[in-house]
Amino acid sequence: MKRSTIQKSVVLAALGLYSIGILSSCSTQTSQAETTANTEEATPKELPVIQAELTDAPLVPAPIARKHAAKVVVNLEVKEVVKRLADGVDYTFWTFGGSVPGKFIRIRQHDEVEFHLMNHPDSKNPHNIDLHAVTGPGGGAASTFTAPGHETVFNFKALNPGLYVYHCATAPVGMHIANGMYGLILVEPEEGLPAVDKEYYVMQGDFYTKGDFGDPGLQPFDMQKALNENPSYVVFNGSVGALTGDKALTAKVGEKVRLFVGNGGPNMISSFHVIGEIFDKVYTEGGSKANENIQTTLVPAGGAAITEFKTDVPGNYVLVDHSIFRAFNKGALGMLKVEGGDEKNIYSGQILDKIYQPEGSTLQEMPTASAPKAAVATNKEMRLELGKTLYAQNCQACHQAEGQGIKGAFPPLAKSDFLNTDVNRAIGVVAHGLEGQIKVNGELYNSTMPKLKLSDEEIANVLTFVMNNWGNKGGEVTPAQVDKAKKSFKH
């Protein structure tokens, strides 16, 4: 081969190697640039830090307006406090934030939460928190065992939207929950919830006291009642009457109301109902799917529901657990007061009250029918026996089997200063009925006693029975006394 040819070949080879090196270098640089870009994309942007707004029931934090995730800092303090359970009844509640239920927490799906749990130095017990909204061991309980005077911190990401219960999970778990350690945390979906006019926080719980319902004083926890699932009280928002009177929920005609309803339990399932309303939507068990046109919704212990309805007609709407003895005898009763103009096309109110005479205008009876004559008492013992039956038939539902009445609704007949001070006045009340405010044993009652269709003999019998039971002063009421008292009764 000629020398020039060899030199040319060497030059070309060198150029070839050089070009390969350049391409290789370019390829490496490109790969590095892509890796850098991918790493930057994979590194999450620093989230804005927001301090969570926490509210006491029945208030709810404002809806979340932001369209992005945030780092939300929650500071929640455990306190053991003595508070009212019912009129004249106190209880040592264990609380998240000083009240029952605990603070309402509102966050957004995909938020990162930095959760601080503080246990007040005056607490006598360690506590932790299990949030059903948390994906992780114990819902956070494994990371938050907190001694009195200490603070623990953990982080979680809100993966799933919904309304979730939180509660203490320190042993004995049932006792911590039964003492009031529960609340709600709402994880709003990314798109938020539909706008409404009013939002409220209502949470049911069952309490187990040594004394029966209404027994006064500082009541201790009764473990045996809790094990037997026999609560002394079933209440909304931690006490009897927490949502009645001047504490009632409020709305105006035409407004859309959303209730965030939870059930801390620890044992009872709630049959949540608003008397006189139909839920337009119920997000069953606090999830994302809505059912429509619901009368009563089940809320399990440790569960929740979101209910929505429009207030079409003014008036007072009663919130109850429709396991109805719990509402009227154990405290699971609240009130929504709706103000505004009448909507007669939706609800007329009473337009007629008349005697109902079916199948013609003439009263009918069997040809040989004759009403048996009422028994006439010939002595006090017989009067007491007849009066006992009359009381069970006519009075017991309101004034109760032992004459104890129902606090805030029906006055007691047991040891009643109202009865014992003036028997003739009592006769007049039974005979004519009574409406308006009265004071019985130092407490005010403002309800209606209907006029009872009893004969003078029957009034004498039932009042003789009442006056000779439950610590009252005794004696005998006669039909002649009833006749005289009826004519002179004034109130």
Side-chain angles (χ1 to χ4, degrees):
M1 183 181 293
K2 293 183 180 179
R3 182 177 178 180
S4 59
T5 303
I6 293 173
Q7 288 175 335
K8 187 175 180 180
S9 298
V10 170
V11 170
L12 289 173
L15 289 171
L17 290 172
Y18 179 68
S19 65
I20 292 172
I22 289 173
L23 291 173
S24 176
S25 175
C26 289
S27 176
T28 301
Q29 289 174 4
T30 301
S31 177
Q32 288 174 345
E34 289 175 352
T35 300
T36 300
N38 290 337
T39 301
E40 288 175 353
E41 289 177 6
T43 302
K45 294 179 181 179
E46 189 171 339
L47 295 176
V49 178
I50 296 174
Q51 191 72 34
E53 177 192 1
L54 307 180
T55 58
D56 290 322
L59 302 180
V60 178
I64 295 173
R66 56 187 163 85
K67 302 300 181 184
H68 56 81
K71 179 178 180 179
V72 182
V73 180
V74 177
N75 293 295
L76 190 58
E77 183 181 40
V78 173
K79 294 180 180 179
E80 299 173 8
V81 295
V82 175
K83 295 176 72 98
R84 174 189 173 278
L85 178 57
D87 287 343
V89 184
D90 290 329
Y91 190 80
T92 302
F93 295 94
W94 300 351
T95 75
F96 288 107
S99 61
V100 177
K103 304 285 188 181
F104 195 101
I105 306 169
R106 191 169 197 159
I107 59 176
R108 181 183 181 273
Q109 187 181 10
H110 304 308
D111 280 349
E112 294 180 11
V113 180
E114 179 180 297
F115 202 99
H116 297 246
L117 186 69
M118 294 85 72
N119 193 353
H120 195 278
D122 291 342
S123 295
K124 295 179 174 61
N125 305 277
H127 299 284
N128 64 7
I129 191 166
D130 170 2
L131 301 110
H132 291 185
V134 170
T135 302
S143 304
T144 55
F145 185 82
T146 312
H150 286 245
E151 176 182 351
T152 57
V153 183
F154 82 106
N155 296 311
F156 72 92
K157 187 168 185 176
L159 300 179
N160 302 91
L163 181 64
Y164 299 95
V165 167
Y166 66 80
H167 61 86
C168 186
T170 300
V173 178
M175 183 177 181
H176 283 247
I177 296 174
N179 285 336
M181 297 199 75
Y182 45 77
L184 290 180
I185 176 170
L186 173 67
V187 182
E188 284 200 30
E190 288 181 302
E191 67 276 12
L193 294 174
V196 295
D197 299 293
K198 295 287 178 65
E199 293 183 324
Y200 291 112
Y201 173 19
V202 178
M203 197 161 191
Q204 183 170 316
D206 30 290
F207 290 88
Y208 303 83
T209 59
K210 288 287 186 183
D212 293 331
F213 182 93
D215 282 359
L218 180 60
Q219 290 289 327
F221 170 74
D222 189 320
M223 178 61 86
Q224 193 58 54
K225 281 187 179 179
L227 291 171
N228 294 342
E229 300 187 4
N230 181 26
S232 312
Y233 297 84
V234 183
V235 299
F236 295 139
N237 290 1
S239 66
V240 176
L243 293 175
T244 62
D246 58 2
K247 300 176 185 174
L249 308 181
T250 60
K252 295 180 180 179
V253 169
E255 288 187 326
K256 193 167 187 179
V257 177
R258 176 180 291 136
L259 301 179
F260 296 106
V261 183
N263 183 9
N267 291 321
M268 301 291 103
I269 294 173
S270 177
S271 302
F272 186 72
H273 176 76
V274 177
I275 299 173
E277 267 295 350
I278 298 166
F279 301 136
D280 298 326
K281 288 186 178 180
V282 173
Y283 294 84
T284 308
E285 297 179 353
S288 301
K289 299 293 184 182
N291 203 351
E292 297 182 347
N293 303 318
I294 303 299
Q295 58 187 318
T296 301
T297 189
L298 290 175
V299 187
I306 303 173
T307 71
E308 296 176 356
F309 55 94
K310 183 184 175 186
T311 53
D312 296 300
V313 178
N316 294 332
Y317 295 82
V318 182
L319 286 62
V320 296
D321 179 343
H322 215 296
S323 296
I324 209 69
F325 278 106
R326 298 179 192 167
F328 295 106
N329 299 80
K330 294 196 173 185
L333 184 148
M335 188 78 70
L336 171 67
K337 295 182 178 180
V338 178
E339 296 181 345
D342 290 334
E343 294 289 341
K344 297 293 187 181
N345 60 322
I346 298 175
Y347 181 77
S348 69
Q350 188 180 82
I351 57 175
L352 183 64
D353 179 12
K354 68 176 185 177
I355 302 296
Y356 174 55
Q357 298 177 347
E359 298 181 355
S361 60
T362 304
L363 293 177
Q364 304 164 13
E365 61 181 38
M366 297 300 291
T368 59
S370 60
K373 293 183 178 180
V376 177
T378 57
N379 54 54
K380 182 179 177 181
E381 286 69 32
M382 187 177 179
R383 200 175 297 287
L384 286 168
E385 191 62 32
L386 293 170
K388 181 179 180 180
T389 302
L390 286 165
Y391 182 84
Q393 293 171 341
N394 297 279
C395 314
Q396 186 169 304
C398 296
H399 295 288
Q400 303 297 287
E402 300 300 325
Q404 69 268 36
I406 298 176
K407 279 187 175 293
F410 304 110
L413 303 181
K415 298 180 181 179
S416 170
D417 56 7
F418 187 89
L419 296 178
N420 290 298
T421 300
D422 190 345
V423 176
N424 289 331
R425 178 176 59 183
I427 293 171
V429 170
V430 175
H432 299 292
L434 181 66
E435 188 169 12
Q437 184 171 282
I438 62 172
K439 181 179 283 189
V440 180
N441 296 347
E443 293 190 25
L444 292 176
Y445 292 84
N446 192 359
S447 57
T448 299
M449 165 73 178
K451 179 180 179 179
L452 300 179
K453 293 183 178 180
L454 300 176
S455 68
D456 290 358
E457 174 74 17
E458 290 170 327
I459 293 173
N461 294 344
V462 74
L463 281 176
T464 298
F465 170 76
V466 170
M467 297 305 297
N468 284 272
N469 283 280
W470 317 313
N472 290 319
K473 70 178 185 179
E476 181 179 2
V477 179
T478 66
Q481 184 181 358
V482 170
D483 181 62
K484 184 177 179 180
K486 282 167 57 177
K487 294 174 181 177
S488 60
F489 175 72
K490 292 180 180 180
H491 181 76

